[in-house]
């Protein structure tokens, strides 16, 4: 059973497990019970944190913007001199490591990518899977970044494709919180931007 910091039973996957006392969560966030989150961490409205994520901020802070998803096995840590700041509507995909860096809104970090201390990824960008962005590297908005070491390989506004992925996880989180693990046709329409948000997910 999922429990909160006081040991009380928590509803569905919205509960907390392995949380430090300085963690701040704004509903309706979904946090999987296997996630470990410690230190000064703030999750804004609609953030989803998936299985086996680890987030630690023993100094500085970790801030995750609205409707961003932190996918399975991601590691989020602060740098020696820098916090980790992630904007709204981002996707930090499976097994990525983000470490003391800043990631602009509407950005996707690919599977297994690493973003190191002091690095800045501009808004509406894509970092390809397994890329390694070195310390203090700065990329402007609308960048496509790939390689080891990472470099900018194209300039393109990736907002729409990245928002589709963010909506996918936003809707998935809403479903998981209710024990639903499959999409409906209405869900797919919302994700693709061809339909309204399903009525059962409307909030004030």
């Amino acid at each position: 059973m999922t429990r909160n910091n006081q040991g009380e039973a928590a509803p569905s996957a919205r509960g907390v497990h392995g949380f430090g006392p300085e963690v701040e969560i704004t509903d309706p966030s979904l946090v999987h019970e296997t996630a470990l989150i410690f230190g000064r961490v703030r999750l804004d409205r609609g953030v989803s944190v998936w299985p086996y994520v680890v987030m630690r901020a023993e100094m500085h802070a970790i801030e995750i913007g609205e409707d961003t998803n932190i996918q399975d096995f991601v590691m989020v840590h602060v740098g020696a001199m820098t916090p980790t700041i992630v904007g709204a509507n981002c996707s930090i995909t499976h097994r990525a490591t983000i470490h003391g860096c800043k990631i602009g809104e509407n950005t996707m970090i690919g599977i297994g990518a690493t973003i190191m201390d002091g690095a800045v990824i501009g808004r509406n960008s894509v970092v390809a899977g397994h890329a390694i962005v070195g310390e203090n590297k700065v990329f402007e908005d609308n960048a496509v970044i790939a390689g080891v070491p990472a470099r900018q390989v194209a300039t393109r506004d990736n907002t729409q494709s990245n928002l589709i992925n963010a909506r996918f996880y936003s809707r998935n989180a809403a479903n998981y919180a209710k024990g639903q693990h499959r999409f409906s046709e209405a869900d797919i329409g919302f994700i693709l931007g061809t339909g309204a948000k399903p009525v059962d997910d409307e909030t004030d």
Side-chain angles (χ1 to χ4, degrees):
M1 176 181 291
T2 303
R3 295 184 178 275
N4 63 20
N5 280 345
Q6 289 72 44
E8 300 164 337
S12 187
R14 293 177 188 267
V16 295
H17 178 80
F19 275 31
E22 294 187 73
V23 176
E24 299 178 22
I25 302 176
T26 303
D27 285 338
S29 299
L30 179 143
V31 180
H32 193 271
E33 64 180 11
T34 58
L36 301 175
I37 306 178
F38 299 104
R40 185 169 296 170
V41 178
R42 190 186 78 213
L43 308 180
D44 285 346
R45 183 177 179 84
V47 168
S48 60
V49 179
W50 294 85
Y52 300 104
V53 166
V54 177
M55 306 175 74
R56 294 193 288 111
E58 298 87 351
M59 52 187 179
H60 311 303
I62 294 169
E63 299 178 7
I64 309 297
E66 289 189 6
D67 294 320
T68 283
N69 58 87
I70 310 294
Q71 297 179 20
D72 317 63
F73 294 98
V74 166
M75 175 68 203
V76 183
H77 197 207
V78 294
M81 302 296 292
T82 50
T84 297
I85 310 295
V86 181
N89 301 308
C90 291
S91 294
I92 313 300
T93 69
H94 315 289
R95 296 187 183 276
T97 297
I98 56 174
H99 199 278
C101 56
K102 183 176 181 179
I103 298 171
E105 64 186 26
N106 308 324
T107 289
M108 178 182 288
I109 307 300
I111 291 172
T114 300
I115 319 294
M116 289 301 297
D117 301 34
V120 177
I121 309 297
R123 298 176 301 167
N124 317 321
S125 295
V126 171
V127 177
H130 302 288
I132 298 180
V133 177
E135 293 183 1
N136 302 314
K137 296 292 184 182
V138 177
F139 294 91
E140 300 297 328
D141 297 349
N142 307 315
V144 179
I145 301 159
V148 181
R151 62 185 182 88
Q152 185 165 341
V153 297
T155 300
R156 181 177 65 238
D157 186 346
N158 303 282
T159 302
Q160 290 307 311
S161 58
N162 290 349
L163 283 176
I164 287 173
N165 198 80
R167 283 198 297 266
F168 177 98
Y169 271 89
S170 177
R171 191 62 203 156
N172 212 19
N175 285 344
Y176 267 68
K178 297 180 293 186
Q180 298 176 9
H181 305 145
R182 300 280 291 179
F183 286 127
S184 66
E185 290 185 8
D187 291 331
I188 293 170
F190 170 67
I191 291 165
L192 296 178
T194 59
K197 181 181 288 188
V199 173
D200 64 353
D201 194 46
E202 294 288 352
T203 57
D204 295 332

